[in-house]
Amino acid sequence: MPVRSLTSSVLRWPDALRVERAVRAWARRVRRQRPELVRLGYFGSYARGDAGVGSDLDLVAIVRECAEPFERRPIGWDLTRLPVPAEIIIYTGKEWEALQRRGGRFAWMLQDETVRL
């Protein structure tokens, strides 16, 4: 998370390289802990290379199956080790395929700009 200098009121936001390293380390841990994980990536400003102060990290995961409702799936994923605020969207393989078949702007954006981890 951003940190405040002890001698200044200025917040220092982690640079993109630090965020990239942290998300890759996080992904390695997640892969060991979650055998149901098929694919993992990030999209949005960090994937496009235009992240700045205040940017969050947008993650997307595809799992084999999940009994949890779509909106509750992120609850069990610990994002606290990441250096910036983060959100994760979790699809089952079937949901991901259906999303891609339906198309639309969001599906295209996910397909086009997601950086795989």
Side-chain angles (χ1 to χ4, degrees), residues 37-52:
L37 185 61
V38 175
R39 269 193 291 181
L40 185 61
Y42 62 95
F43 63 98
S45 60
Y46 280 99
R48 291 189 306 268
D50 59 12

Side-chain angles (χ1 to χ4, degrees), residues 25-98:
W26 174 83
R28 285 189 295 273
R29 284 190 301 274
V30 169
R31 288 197 180 284
R32 288 191 301 269
Q33 297 167 350
R34 296 188 172 273
E36 74 275 16
L37 185 61
V38 175
R39 269 193 291 181
L40 185 61
Y42 62 95
F43 63 98
S45 60
Y46 280 99
R48 291 189 306 268
D50 59 12
V53 173
S55 293
D56 69 341
L57 182 63
D58 301 299
L59 298 158
V60 60
I62 302 169
V63 296
R64 284 184 189 85
E65 293 183 4
C66 186
E68 288 285 326
F70 183 80
E71 64 278 355
R72 294 190 47 81
R73 292 177 191 165
I75 293 171
W77 292 64
D78 182 12
L79 306 175
T80 60
R81 291 187 177 189
L82 296 168
V84 295
E87 295 182 35
I88 189 166
I89 302 170
I90 303 162
Y91 293 99
T92 65
K94 288 181 183 178
E95 291 167 342
W96 179 258
E97 290 171 12

